Amino acid sequence: MMYGGEKSDSAIVATKPTSKAGRPVAEPVERRAEAKGNAGQQRTRRAQDRESVSQALDRIRQAARHRRKERFTALFHHLGPEMLRTVFFALKREAAPGVDGVTWRAYAADLDRRVEDLHARLQRGAYRALPSRRRYIPKADGNQRPLAVAALEDKIVQRATTAVLNAIYEEEFLGFSYGFRPKRSQHDTMDALVVGISSRKVNYILDADIRSFFDAVSQPG
């Protein structure tokens, strides 16, 4: 493994369009059709939302970085309308709907009212996540990979919560940690391994499937 730098990535708050999925508050390149009279106003508000969210997450990151012994006790207010709208525009427009059947475009058609309603339910503790729609994808080895399709509002709340928590926990990770982190993938892991193996003396390489390992040790006898 490479220990170069050993610095944590900051939380991902994109300020320009991107085609990559999975970022908590990035805005994809594809743009929603807008009425001519409101296009400028909507773009301005979206830019203001992104800036507001970016500044809020940066304050959280700075606190997590410089005041490590303090505990975060007031984060819920960050799940405001600006955050919820910004996260909504990060979702894939053509993604399959969950059990509620609501698509991205249907939600966007009445976005302001829906976001305000969602925010109100969150604040008063009335929000309840819906069960995910379950699908199974065949794998090459004959097994099936389970896929859970969350309802659209659940995706919004999950991504908004993830964005806030990432701003804290990303400060704790070292540079050689790649698992389940924003803006990192298995391909980045393999690239780091190739560089490490080719540039340093390596005596052992361990490749282990953690799930298979625990399945094996849990078997009787």
Side-chain angles (χ1 to χ4, degrees), residues 77-139:
H77 67 280
H78 289 292
L79 301 186
E82 297 85 358
M83 171 68 83
L84 299 177
R85 279 194 299 265
T86 302
V87 167
F88 169 77
F89 285 109
L91 301 177
K92 294 181 179 179
R93 275 100 166 120
E94 305 302 332
V99 295
D100 60 347
V102 178
T103 64
W104 188 95
R105 298 184 188 281
Y107 203 88
D110 195 14
L111 181 61
D112 288 338
R113 184 191 65 79
R114 288 179 179 270
V115 165
E116 291 296 336
D117 177 67
L118 175 58
H119 176 247
R121 281 181 281 136
L122 286 171
Q123 292 299 310
R124 67 175 185 266
Y127 172 78
R128 296 293 182 272
L130 295 174
S132 295
R133 184 160 62 93
R134 183 70 65 178
R135 290 291 182 269
Y136 292 91
I137 301 175
K139 298 173 64 175

Side-chain angles (χ1 to χ4, degrees), residues 2-120:
M2 296 191 65
Y3 290 77
E6 296 189 355
K7 294 182 179 179
S8 170
D9 289 344
S10 60
I12 308 304
V13 185
T15 57
K16 61 183 180 180
T18 175
S19 59
K20 294 183 179 179
R23 299 183 180 182
V25 287
E27 178 186 352
V29 170
E30 180 188 355
R31 303 186 67 86
R32 175 169 59 96
E34 298 169 335
K36 292 183 178 179
N38 298 326
Q41 181 180 356
Q42 291 173 352
R43 283 194 295 269
T44 298
R45 189 185 66 177
R46 287 169 63 178
Q48 292 172 343
D49 285 347
R50 288 197 302 270
E51 181 65 21
S52 175
V53 169
S54 177
Q55 292 176 357
L57 294 180
D58 187 60
R59 289 193 294 270
I60 297 174
R61 285 195 299 271
Q62 292 300 324
R65 183 178 305 162
H66 299 296
R67 302 197 296 272
R68 293 183 176 272
K69 293 185 179 180
E70 292 189 11
R71 297 179 62 185
F72 288 89
T73 58
L75 294 171
F76 194 65
H77 67 280
H78 289 292
L79 301 186
E82 297 85 358
M83 171 68 83
L84 299 177
R85 279 194 299 265
T86 302
V87 167
F88 169 77
F89 285 109
L91 301 177
K92 294 181 179 179
R93 275 100 166 120
E94 305 302 332
V99 295
D100 60 347
V102 178
T103 64
W104 188 95
R105 298 184 188 281
Y107 203 88
D110 195 14
L111 181 61
D112 288 338
R113 184 191 65 79
R114 288 179 179 270
V115 165
E116 291 296 336
D117 177 67
L118 175 58
H119 176 247

